[in-house]
Amino acid sequence: MPETKSKFLIPAIGAAVIVTGSIAAYMYLKGPFGDSSGALASAKIVPSTAFIATYVSTDPQAWAKLQQFGTPEAQKIVAKGLDSLNKDLLTESNISYEKDLKPWVGGVMIAVLPSTPANPTPNTGTATLQANILMVVGIKDKLAALNFAKKLKQEKGVTTKEIDYKGEKITETTGKGKPSYSAVLNNTYVVLAPSRQSVENSIDTYKGQPSFASKEGANSVFANKVDVKNTVAQIYVPDYGGMVQQLIATNSQTAIPPQTLKQLKQVKSMVADIGIDDAGVRMKAIANLDPQLSKFQYQNTSAKVVANFPADTLALINGQGISSWWSAVVEQSKDYPEFKQLIEQARGQLKAVNFDLDKDIFGWMNGEFGFAAIPSNQGILAQLGVGGAFVFDTSDRKTAESTFLKLDNLAKSQKINVAQRNIGGKDVTEWQIPQQGALLAHGWLDQDTVFLALGGPIGEAIAQPKTQSLDNSDNFKAVTSSLQKPNGGFLYLDMDKTVSLASRYAVQGQAIPPEAAAILSSIRGLGVTATSLDKSTSQLEMLLALKPKTAK
């Protein structure tokens, strides 16, 4: 979106951009204000042509939770940013967030409407398409809003003109950039946009034309109750495929094949809620799927495989049934010639070295699995600082053993020393590099569980654990224990360990900036999980786990 369009809210009553831009920072430092105007009520003023809408609540009880997190350094950075934002606003328009906006602003809905042709570009002489943004701001104090409007009209360098449209007044406000347009509807909402037509369309909607709340698919997204405590923002997409096509139309340089568009239509609609609870910032999303197009369902997993990884694991992905996932991929590739060709090429390349892609690689991976990145400064990993591990449960040990035997024979043909070791009572095969240690290790942890480790030290940590397991670590519990169960597996990230590794690779002059490092140090980690409720419904949950607030 062009810079002039992104700033349209400052010279108009649209100075409410500060509400959405700095709302989290304000709540974090000074406490919440106002109450929610209601997402559904706001959606009734948004034209039905909108393809996505986001509602930001100013409910005080919901935002109050945010103040319980953060290190002193992070608090200072947020305070500095908020202070700078307020000063910029005062410099440009003499508007005080505390005095002028806080008293009257309620909930805020931001909707994206279909693209309209922009002016031709100097280089090409052709018009591009630009997305239209419409904002609906709830008024919780009519007198305070009126006083703010009067003050805005008196600002130097700001000119206003009133336009009558079907009995409603549209205010055209011109400051330092292009004009913006706003209207007050029933003394309850302010609608704002950089396009006059968008405001006119909103007025038409207010007077009875179809709204975002009444369009096909909207009933299901507004009816879906996403179980998130202290909701602060909601995202509504009634027609997911239509939204993707509109976004593509906005960017003329993006071309998506028809087959890919068909794939995207697996998702019919989506709703997401973001809330703040005792663990941090949580998002839950529910997607309604077309069961005729969707070939894959998440299989619930017990997550027992997590116990095979050490507590200092910095990242983990686990789930269930890779073989089922692969079968779904192969089935869907029939509709995508280019993708099918890639699969056939992979099959041919592996067949050349005596591997059957479907049987030897994916066929036996029918149980739970886990992939992890694990820190290590030993042996061959001394310079890298990290290694990897794969753990698979399988009911087809015979095929798995055959696959690993083929891998070992391939390594031997490349003059790699393949040797056997006993580690913690388990037979482990290593690919050894002279004077550096093992490059790779694999072995069976029990009758049905096999591991493959990248780096000898990681193989030793898996085969003979000497520390606490990941599932019993405090950080893993803090990040994942509150995620929905049952589920199809976790994505887990330990932020402290990840930042430490990233800092190790940062070259001089490109290190993580102190401000970013301070914010990251307030985050415990990231946890994500997904599950298929049924053939037509999938749910995603993500938690940004935050550290409790510490004293200054």
Side-chain angles (χ1 to χ4, degrees), residues 504-524:
R504 174 174 178 160
Y505 286 102
V507 298
Q508 189 174 5
Q510 294 183 348
I512 298 175
E515 295 82 3
I519 296 297
L520 291 172
S521 69
S522 292
I523 302 173
R524 279 185 182 272

Side-chain angles (χ1 to χ4, degrees), residues 82 93 123 153 204 349 361 400 465 529:
L82 181 60
S93 55
N123 295 332
K153 289 181 179 180
D204 292 339
Q349 291 169 353
I361 305 301
T529 190

Side-chain angles (χ1 to χ4, degrees), residues 167-235:
E168 303 292 338
K169 289 182 180 180
I170 297 177
T171 301
E172 179 186 272
T173 306
T174 305
K176 295 181 179 180
K178 293 183 179 180
S180 60
Y181 300 86
S182 61
V184 179
L185 303 180
N186 196 34
N187 290 326
T188 305
Y189 297 97
V190 180
V191 292
L192 312 108
S195 162
R196 173 177 167 178
Q197 183 180 359
S198 295
V199 175
E200 291 177 350
N201 291 342
S202 182
I203 291 173
D204 292 339
T205 304
Y206 169 68
K207 292 183 176 292
Q209 290 298 311
S211 70
F212 186 76
S214 64
K215 72 182 297 179
E216 184 178 357
N219 284 338
S220 63
V221 296
F222 281 102
N224 269 331
K225 299 300 181 183
V226 184
D227 183 22
V228 172
K229 295 180 181 178
N230 306 307
T231 301
V232 296
Q234 297 156 294
I235 303 168

Side-chain angles (χ1 to χ4, degrees), residues 307-308 426 460-467:
N308 293 297
K426 299 179 179 67
E460 292 175 4
I462 299 295
Q464 188 178 23
K466 295 180 180 179
T467 62

Side-chain angles (χ1 to χ4, degrees), residues 271-532:
V271 58
D273 280 18
I274 301 172
I276 304 165
D277 56 34
D278 291 336
V281 180
R282 190 182 305 272
M283 184 197 78
K284 285 187 180 182
I286 295 178
N288 292 319
L289 311 176
D290 185 335
Q292 300 301 316
L293 296 177
S294 179
K295 306 294 184 183
F296 177 76
Q297 281 187 268
Y298 292 102
Q299 299 179 37
N300 291 334
T301 176
S302 65
K304 290 181 180 179
V305 72
V306 178
N308 293 297
F309 298 101
D312 63 347
T313 296
L314 66 87
L316 167 78
I317 297 176
N318 82 294
Q320 181 86 19
I322 290 178
S323 59
S324 297
W325 171 83
W326 175 247
S327 296
V329 169
V330 171
E331 177 67 23
Q332 289 190 331
S333 73
K334 296 176 182 178
D335 297 326
Y336 308 97
E338 292 181 358
F339 189 49
K340 184 178 181 180
Q341 184 179 5
L342 289 175
I343 292 177
E344 292 301 330
Q345 287 177 350
R347 284 172 171 160
Q349 291 169 353
L350 285 171
K351 188 176 181 180
V353 288
N354 197 31
F355 283 96
D356 183 318
L357 177 63
D358 302 276
K359 178 183 177 182
D360 295 332
I361 305 301
F362 294 114
W364 55 271
M365 298 179 183
N366 56 4
E368 188 179 349
F369 67 87
F371 307 148
I374 303 169
S376 177
N377 294 308
Q378 301 175 26
I380 202 168
L381 302 176
Q383 291 186 333
L384 287 175
V386 65
F390 304 81
V391 176
F392 304 95
D393 279 348
T394 179
S395 62
D396 187 0
R397 177 164 177 159
K398 182 179 179 180
T399 302
E401 286 179 332
S402 174
T403 297
F404 281 106
L405 180 59
K406 289 181 180 182
L407 281 172
D408 292 339
N409 289 334
L410 181 62
K412 291 175 182 178
S413 71
Q414 301 300 314
K415 309 303 181 183
I416 295 175
N417 182 35
V418 178
Q420 303 291 320
R421 281 184 64 195
N422 187 283
I423 303 175
K426 299 179 179 67
D427 293 327
V428 176
T429 301
E430 294 184 335
W431 295 6
Q432 296 177 345
I433 306 297
Q435 299 179 347
Q436 295 186 56
L439 172 66
L440 181 147
H442 63 82
W444 290 87
L445 300 176
D446 57 38
Q447 181 63 30
D448 303 317
T449 307
V450 65
F451 78 90
L452 173 68
L454 305 180
I458 304 301
E460 292 175 4
I462 299 295
Q464 188 178 23
K466 295 180 180 179
T467 62
Q468 186 183 48
S469 61
L470 179 60
D471 60 329
N472 286 323
S473 73
D474 291 339
N475 202 72
F476 184 80
K477 289 178 180 178
V479 174
T480 66
S481 63
S482 62
L483 295 175
Q484 62 194 24
K485 294 182 181 66
N487 59 57
F490 296 114
L491 183 155
Y492 163 76
L493 186 70
D494 184 312
M495 190 59 68
D496 284 343
K497 293 183 177 65
T498 302
V499 170
S500 176
L501 184 66
S503 299
R504 174 174 178 160
Y505 286 102
V507 298
Q508 189 174 5
Q510 294 183 348
I512 298 175
E515 295 82 3
I519 296 297
L520 291 172
S521 69
S522 292
I523 302 173
R524 279 185 182 272
L526 176 69
V528 182
T529 190
T531 186
S532 296

Side-chain angles (χ1 to χ4, degrees), residues 21-77:
S22 66
I23 195 169
Y26 186 89
M27 301 296 189
Y28 179 73
L29 293 168
K30 298 187 177 181
F33 59 89
D35 59 5
S36 169
S37 299
L40 182 58
S42 297
K44 292 178 180 178
I45 303 173
V46 175
S48 62
T49 53
F51 50 86
I52 182 172
T54 299
Y55 181 79
V56 181
S57 171
T58 55
D59 177 16
Q61 293 183 346
W63 282 100
K65 282 284 185 181
L66 195 58
Q67 298 173 72
Q68 67 183 338
F69 303 108
T71 63
E73 293 79 9
Q75 294 164 27
K76 289 177 183 178
I77 289 169

